[in-house]
Amino acid sequence: MAEDASNKARGYKATLSNPNVSDEAKQHAKEVLDNELSGGDISVSDQGEKNPGNVAGGLKAATKNPNVSEEGKQAAQEKLDAMK
């Protein structure tokens, strides 16, 4: 539900900054943001824990990726070791 409101707020904010949108549409978007969407200040919290298998897989991939710096590889390996 919060994710849906966040998407709506994003759309209305885009309407406000789009130069191709009429003044009436911008006024409507501002009213909806102010009255229904808390001025657009809606945050989406993490819905749950990340899948540890996916996290480990990503860290392992980072240690093998030639585009990752040595510092990044080392940090990924340390995080991977801490998960075990």
Side-chain angles (χ1 to χ4, degrees), residues 5-53:
S6 178
N7 288 338
K8 286 181 183 178
R10 229 183 332 247
Y12 285 119
K13 286 179 180 181
T15 298
L16 292 176
S17 61
N18 187 339
N20 297 322
V21 174
S22 68
D23 289 336
E24 290 111 19
K26 287 184 180 185
Q27 182 60 35
H28 173 74
K30 182 162 178 35
E31 289 171 5
V32 172
L33 278 170
D34 290 343
N35 298 330
E36 298 175 23
L37 299 172
S38 306
D41 296 332
I42 296 173
S43 63
V44 177
S45 64
D46 194 8
Q47 295 293 328
E49 292 296 314
K50 294 181 180 181
N51 183 326

Side-chain angles (χ1 to χ4, degrees), residues 55-56 59 72-84:
V55 172
L59 292 169
K73 288 179 182 182
Q74 185 177 5
Q77 186 63 52
E78 289 172 2
K79 288 180 183 179
L80 190 57
D81 292 342
M83 290 180 70
K84 294 180 182 180

Side-chain angles (χ1 to χ4, degrees), residues 58-78:
L59 292 169
K60 186 175 179 182
T63 64
K64 308 273 188 207
N65 187 334
N67 296 322
V68 174
S69 68
E70 288 304 316
E71 294 85 15
K73 288 179 182 182
Q74 185 177 5
Q77 186 63 52
E78 289 172 2

